[in-house]
Amino acid sequence: MNVPFVDLQAEFREVDGEVSAAIRNVVQKGNFVLGPEVEGFEEAFARYVGSSCCIGVSSGTDALRMALEGIGISAGDEVIVPVNTFVATALAVTAIGAVPRFVDSVDESFLLDIAKAHEAVNSRTRAVIPVHLYGRMVAAEDLASFDLPVIEDAAQAHGQDCQGRRAGSVGRAGCFSFYPSKNLGAYGDGGAITTSDEELRDRLRLLRNYGQSRKYHHEIKGGNHRLDAIQAAVLRVKLKSLDRWNQCRRAAAAYYTNHLKDGISRPTGESVYHLYVIRVGNRDRLQGKLAEAGIDTGIHYPVPLHLAPCFKELGGRQGDFPVAERAAREILSLPMSPFITSEQQEYVVEKVNKWGEPV
């Protein structure tokens, strides 16, 4: 049996008719850049998240970079970033000349260690980027504990809520990626920033479109970071299915949790399960055996950011962040999507239980 890591073809088959009609509508009308489809998606997604505004942009990385620039972060400023995250979180900081201040993870959840984040704040710290990782959200009360602007990296938590607030609605801004494999994915790159700060909204709209409030009237230095209308049309259709798809992910996660053998560490807490991440004592060997059996897996993430060569100027060393470093040796992401079948999950569990070793 072959088990894909995520089944985008099954998702396409479910929404093909409505998505194809939405794309055809954009093409027939010729509104390819901004316009009514982007505005319609922005309104719908802002309502869904629970923010008053949404700004569609070209990617999740651009969303983070623009949000930082929009609140005034500049060269030399420090921004708190978890060391266990995708590289884009930190690249958004360095892209504007600011400096990532790396912080370790919590052992059980892999999320930003809030206590250590507070300890890392100094006179140069200007913002915090907590990452809602693998589908689990950093607690709203923890986000509110900072006397600094909070930019939520919600790229893996579309639809997750905590203490009555959805991911992307708690901080000064929430940043989303719509990369195709996300819980809400486009048919290419795309992203969005949610906020209830209207002044920030207006600045972000300028930044994404050459700094112009109207054509050829450039008020600030901006760029071309717009969400394509075709991608907005796709996302607007798929948004209607997001809650149901997230419930399917939760059901699939519950099956894994209930059937994996003792000693294999499972995820805990409320989540929309963008990823289902286990910990095992023989990760590399297990991944190889699963690949031989036709089961696709992933590692999120194999190199903590302080050890990534692209950040060598920050002087990170082995041992600086022991929780993230240990996790990087033990974590393995199992196949997960709303469309994974019970037969596929039974097969995955059988093989993991056969070859996986306790941590």
Side-chain angles (χ1 to χ4, degrees):
M1 181 183 294
N2 290 317
V3 184
F5 187 65
V6 58
D7 194 344
L8 296 180
Q9 288 74 29
E11 181 185 274
F12 173 72
R13 287 192 294 270
E14 181 169 307
V15 298
D16 178 16
E18 193 172 359
V19 164
S20 296
I23 292 173
R24 191 178 307 111
N25 181 59
V26 174
V27 174
Q28 288 175 339
K29 292 182 177 178
N31 293 319
F32 296 109
V33 179
L34 299 178
E37 283 297 338
V38 174
E39 292 170 5
F41 172 70
E42 289 174 336
E43 292 171 3
F45 195 64
R47 283 195 306 272
Y48 179 83
V49 168
S51 294
S52 62
C53 315
C54 172
I55 302 90
V57 297
S58 47
S59 70
T61 308
D62 275 343
L64 288 163
R65 182 190 57 75
M66 292 170 60
L68 290 166
E69 187 176 354
I71 66 172
I73 305 300
S74 58
D77 292 340
E78 287 192 359
V79 178
I80 300 291
V81 174
V83 75
N84 179 41
T85 184
F86 183 57
V87 69
T89 312
L91 288 179
V93 176
T94 59
I96 57 176
V99 180
R101 176 79 167 178
F102 292 134
V103 172
D104 212 347
S105 308
V106 176
D107 194 45
E108 291 184 358
S109 68
F110 310 112
L111 298 173
L112 175 70
D113 188 316
I114 298 299
K116 286 184 169 59
H118 280 289
E119 293 172 3
V121 173
N122 60 46
S123 61
R124 298 182 298 279
T125 311
R126 296 289 180 268
V128 181
I129 305 180
V131 178
H132 303 317
L133 196 66
Y134 306 154
R136 184 171 177 177
M137 185 175 168
V138 179
E141 63 183 8
D142 287 337
L143 301 186
S145 68
F146 291 98
D147 293 324
L148 292 164
V150 171
I151 305 296
E152 299 173 68
D153 184 337
Q156 299 184 20
H158 308 74
Q160 181 55 36
D161 61 74
C162 179
Q163 298 164 334
R165 305 285 296 276
R166 267 194 169 147
S169 70
V170 181
R172 182 85 174 275
C175 298
F176 293 86
S177 166
F178 301 125
Y179 188 76
S181 61
K182 301 298 186 184
N183 291 38
L184 179 63
Y187 288 172
D189 281 315
I193 307 164
T194 52
T195 183
S196 292
D197 182 330
E198 295 186 0
E199 182 178 349
L200 177 58
R201 172 203 64 191
D202 293 343
R203 180 169 173 79
L204 291 170
R205 285 177 176 170
L206 293 174
L207 286 171
R208 76 170 172 185
N209 193 26
Y210 299 108
Q212 60 186 359
S213 56
R214 53 195 175 96
K215 200 169 181 72
Y216 304 129
H217 289 261
H218 305 278
E219 299 180 17
I220 63 174
K221 294 182 178 70
N224 180 2
H225 310 293
R226 303 170 300 218
L227 176 66
D228 288 342
I230 285 178
Q231 301 299 349
V234 171
L235 292 165
R236 198 173 176 185
V237 170
K238 293 173 72 174
L239 179 59
K240 293 182 288 187
S241 298
L242 178 57
D243 283 341
R244 177 170 54 82
W245 288 344
N246 282 344
Q247 283 302 110
C248 292
R249 288 176 179 270
R250 290 186 176 113
Y255 182 89
Y256 279 143
T257 297
N258 292 333
H259 291 84
L260 289 170
K261 69 181 181 181
D262 292 343
I264 293 176
S265 179
R266 305 147 167 82
T268 60
E270 291 295 319
S271 178
V272 289
Y273 291 101
H274 172 59
L275 299 168
Y276 189 93
V277 180
I278 62 172
R279 298 177 77 160
V280 290
N282 61 333
R283 193 273 308 286
D284 293 340
R285 179 177 180 275
L286 174 60
Q287 186 176 40
K289 296 292 285 184
L290 293 176
E292 291 174 5
I295 299 170
D296 292 338
T297 58
I299 303 173
H300 300 85
Y301 296 95
V303 180
L305 294 188
H306 69 294
L307 300 177
C310 63
F311 298 120
K312 62 183 179 181
E313 74 278 4
L314 300 178
R317 296 171 299 178
Q318 192 80 36
D320 285 349
F321 302 103
V323 175
E325 290 171 25
R326 181 188 173 198
R329 298 189 297 268
E330 298 175 346
I331 53 178
L332 186 67
S333 301
L334 300 184
M336 171 57 67
S337 84
F339 305 96
I340 190 168
T341 67
S342 57
E343 291 79 13
Q344 288 173 326
Q345 284 202 280
E346 289 173 7
Y347 184 67
V348 173
V349 166
E350 174 194 343
K351 300 306 182 185
V352 172
N353 285 345
K354 179 179 180 180
W355 294 312
E357 296 177 2
V359 292

